[in-house]
Amino acid sequence: MPKIFFNIAMSEVRSVDAAEGISLMEAAIRSHIPGIIAECGGACSCATCHVYIGESFRAVVGEPDDFEAEMLEEVFAERRPSSRLACQIRLTTAMDGLEVTVPVADR
């Protein structure tokens, strides 16, 4: 069971024990993480689960596919090289200790 650390609004860190195999978005929603709206329910069609992946885990999490990369053009906060949609990340034991920042919308 990977432990995920959510940095919320750069002032609070919440740790979440998440089941392997669920999406990062599901873990956030189940744990009531603010800023993860997930309007589309994980269908990769709204970009409301945008997060920044901690640098030490970028290789483990991987890069977005072409469809996700297109959706990342619609995010409401600054897009960064570490930007991902939480609905597209399936949690594994290799992600234990994953640090995720929930960005603040700038629009």
Side-chain angles (χ1 to χ4, degrees):
M1 181 172 286
K3 183 178 289 286
I4 312 300
F5 296 93
F6 288 94
N7 296 302
I8 305 162
M10 304 305 280
S11 62
E12 177 186 356
V13 177
R14 289 194 196 171
S15 65
V16 170
D17 291 319
E20 185 176 4
I22 69 170
S23 72
L24 180 59
M25 180 211 73
E26 290 172 293
I29 293 297
R30 290 178 186 178
S31 301
H32 308 287
I33 300 297
I36 302 294
I37 300 165
E39 286 179 356
C40 72
C44 194
S45 63
C46 71
T48 60
C49 65
H50 175 221
V51 295
Y52 302 129
I53 301 300
E55 288 300 316
S56 62
F57 277 91
R58 283 190 55 204
V60 174
V61 171
E63 296 297 321
D65 64 19
D66 291 341
F67 187 74
E68 180 184 354
E70 281 185 45
M71 288 306 305
L72 285 166
E73 295 298 326
E74 304 301 321
V75 297
F76 294 108
E78 174 189 4
R79 182 177 178 183
R80 298 178 183 169
S82 62
S83 288
R84 291 293 308 269
L85 298 180
C87 67
Q88 298 302 294
I89 299 170
R90 290 276 160 210
L91 297 174
T92 67
T93 56
M95 294 177 192
D96 186 41
L98 174 63
E99 295 179 4
V100 177
T101 299
V102 180
V104 176
D106 58 4
R107 292 188 207 170

